Amino acid sequence: MLDSNDPGAPRAAQPAPLSAERMQALLDYSWDILTLMDREGRLLYNSPAAQRLHGFAPEEFDGRSTFDFIHPDDAPQVGEIFQKCLTHPGLPVRVRYRYARKEGGWIWMEAIGVNMLDNPAISAVVVNSRDISDRVEAEKAIRQSESHFRALFNHMAQGFALCRLLYEDGVADDFIYVEVNQSFTEQTGMVNVVGRKVSEVVPGIREADPDMLVRYERVVRTGVPERFEVYRSALKLWFSISVYRPMPGHFAAIFDVINERKQAEEERFQLERQLSQSQKMDSLGSLAGGVAHDMNNVLGSILMLASAHEAIEPAGSPAQEAFATITKACQRGGDMVRRLLGLARHDLSEVKMLNLNALVREEVLLLERTTLAQVRFSLDLADDLRPIRGDSAALIHALMNLCVNAIDAMPHGGSLTLRTRNAEPGWIELEVLDSGIGMPREVLDKAMDPFFTTKSHGKGTGLGLSMAYNTMKAHRGTLTIQSETGKGTRVLVRLPSCEGEEPEDEAPAPSRPQGEGRSLDVLLVDDDELIRDSIGPVLRAQGHRVVLVGSGEEALDRMKRGASPDVVILDMNMPGLGGRGALPRIRSLQPDVPVLLATGRAGPDALELTRTFTGVTLLTKPINASDLKAYLDTLQAKPDR
């Protein structure tokens, strides 16, 4: 290591002496203006850069104050700074201002001045100024950009919040709002949130949304954006929230209020659910109708033979009691079959103009007598309720099912409200509201499924709501259910009104010729062998002559070949012509022959035939032998052959 005092050691480079030529080069080629001014602000010297920047020649400054060239709006500020410079010798001062150009316009300058008037060798204020026009324009552009961003930020439709996570023991524990926009405030109703913790702004938010901090912390930790939907019950708003990480430790959340979309989704879900329910009910209804038709024939054959034997066995005998039991069982099965046919119903039996209020009052009057006052009934019926066209029996049955379900949902008592009102033109509404136990979503989704029931075994068939649904559908109306566990149930029925229409005339009662009850020639037309094999022997045992055929076409063929029955028992539902197609042709061959039209349900087709043709009587399946005998006994028979 060399000693610094060693004459052989290297010496530090010494600055070159500042010669007059070098000093002049600095003045001539510097792009900063070097200026000397007196105490009054008059220019004593300007370096050549002044003419390059301003355009004024040195002689144009002779005897003039520099303030003559400063923009009038900036001159007071520059004068104030200049006075400060004069009162603080040796202290640099800084100012920016606009300076005149010779060719017109202004140039932005920034100047640093030092008072060296007390230095005899200088005796001037030394000023170094430079052109900052580009910087000022850039700053202006930044301010405009920030202003535009701020306007966009505050007026964007989405709410925006920039937040910083707070940690405790390395775990995200809270966050602070750093910046929010106007839409955030408008959407949430939360004001003055910047600088505050979310737990202060929304107390209980962590309990209401326990996954909130987990999601935000995950975005901050991984940098992977996330999007999710949340419901803020306090605000009654659904939000779609997009979260990303703009900088370490922070997250930004963009909020969209999606109440309308969620409502549309719910409406679409309800429509899809109704469509699915309708399709399911149509399918199950068709199945139920087919099963009921076949079951009617099975029950009919049993009932016919059992009731016939019941009538001929000695009263009180074991055989008579056994056949009576079989008859009751068949009749009970017939009730179930009629329910299944009701499930399959797509039309109405007897349609006329109705006042729904009257049906509601009738139903409540019945229920008040049977519920032992455990349920309070409340009626809110519109006085001017528009009339409807419908089947009163079907509507009463549906209303009964709705009310009984409501009462069953209130085992410890409660209130049942029935409300009617006029809806938009052409519609009326009926509400059935109970204060019962309600239904969870999984039960509500199945409530109208046939045979689905939450009642204990033997307490319900599960057909009530499904039949009510089909009844309203047959009336071109709708039935919807809203329910929550512990909050009761609301059933809304909507039906088309018929204001201004006149009631239809009642269907004429079928005519029954009176006679002596002698032996008859009976033509039995039914495609089911069980029916033919059961009714045929019973009729013969009653003294009648019976011809059995399996189709309408075969019956017509016999009549064309000369058969002349006293009465025709005609099944409504058969392959081929069926009862509907065969009856007009039978009447064209024999206009006066009485016809018993056998059907499991007196639907519009069957009722229309009774209106169109006299001497047609509906015979409801399953058929009881005594009922059939009573009717046949009234007919005028031909002389015995």
Side-chain angles (χ1 to χ4, degrees), residues 25-162:
L26 287 174
L27 294 174
D28 289 345
Y29 297 104
S30 171
W31 281 92
D32 285 355
I33 302 173
L34 302 176
T35 302
L36 298 176
M37 294 188 302
D38 65 14
R39 187 180 297 275
E40 304 302 324
R42 289 186 293 267
L43 293 169
L44 303 175
Y45 173 80
N46 252 351
S47 67
Q51 187 171 356
R52 289 196 296 271
L53 293 175
H54 305 150
F56 294 104
E59 58 272 16
E60 294 180 84
F61 291 105
D62 288 347
R64 298 183 65 178
S65 169
T66 189
F67 294 107
D68 295 341
F69 299 88
I70 293 176
H71 193 285
D73 292 344
D74 300 332
Q77 177 192 11
V78 175
E80 182 180 340
I81 297 298
F82 187 70
Q83 290 302 317
K84 181 179 179 180
C85 181
L86 293 178
T87 56
H88 294 80
L91 176 68
V93 295
R94 184 189 302 266
V95 66
R96 63 167 57 185
Y97 51 88
R98 284 162 288 182
Y99 205 84
R101 290 180 183 273
K102 185 175 182 178
E103 65 272 18
W106 304 90
I107 182 174
W108 274 98
M109 303 294 293
E110 183 179 61
I112 298 176
V114 179
N115 179 0
M116 301 190 70
L117 290 168
D118 295 338
N119 187 327
I122 301 176
S123 297
V125 176
V126 179
V127 180
N128 184 342
S129 56
R130 64 179 52 177
D131 179 6
I132 60 168
S133 298
D134 290 344
R135 189 202 310 171
V136 171
E137 287 300 317
E139 291 173 353
K140 180 181 179 182
I142 291 173
R143 286 195 302 272
Q144 288 177 342
S145 177
E146 289 179 346
S147 176
H148 293 159
F149 171 77
R150 179 60 59 179
L152 176 64
F153 178 70
N154 279 324
H155 292 91
M156 62 189 293
Q158 297 89 352
F160 180 92
L162 176 65

Side-chain angles (χ1 to χ4, degrees), residues 366-381:
L366 174 63
L367 290 171
E368 284 179 332
R369 296 170 180 169
T370 58
T371 56
L372 302 178
Q374 66 178 5
V375 173
R376 298 184 306 278
F377 290 90
S378 173
L379 293 181
D380 181 10
L381 308 181

Side-chain angles (χ1 to χ4, degrees), residues 403-441:
C403 291
V404 168
N405 277 348
I407 292 169
D408 288 345
M410 298 181 285
H412 304 296
S415 62
L416 176 59
T417 301
L418 290 95
R419 178 179 296 123
T420 61
R421 58 174 171 263
N422 292 313
E424 62 267 27
W427 291 89
I428 67 166
E429 292 182 346
L430 165 67
E431 277 187 298
V432 181
L433 303 100
D434 68 64
S435 60
I437 57 177
M439 291 180 277
R441 188 58 177 263

Side-chain angles (χ1 to χ4, degrees), residues 247-316:
M247 63 187 76
H250 293 68
F251 66 88
I254 299 175
F255 297 78
D256 268 319
V257 176
I258 56 172
N259 276 34
E260 291 185 2
R261 194 189 85 194
K262 297 297 285 189
Q263 181 179 355
E265 288 177 355
E266 179 63 22
E267 290 174 354
R268 184 179 65 188
F269 170 78
Q270 291 298 336
L271 288 174
E272 290 174 349
R273 184 173 176 271
Q274 289 177 18
L275 175 60
S276 174
Q277 182 73 21
S278 177
Q279 292 171 337
K280 180 165 47 177
M281 294 296 289
D282 286 345
S283 175
L284 289 170
S286 298
L287 175 62
V291 170
H293 179 267
D294 289 343
M295 186 61 70
N296 246 338
N297 289 338
V298 173
L299 289 173
S301 64
I302 299 172
L303 179 60
M304 177 59 63
L305 294 173
S307 59
H309 282 279
E310 179 187 0
I312 62 177
E313 292 292 335

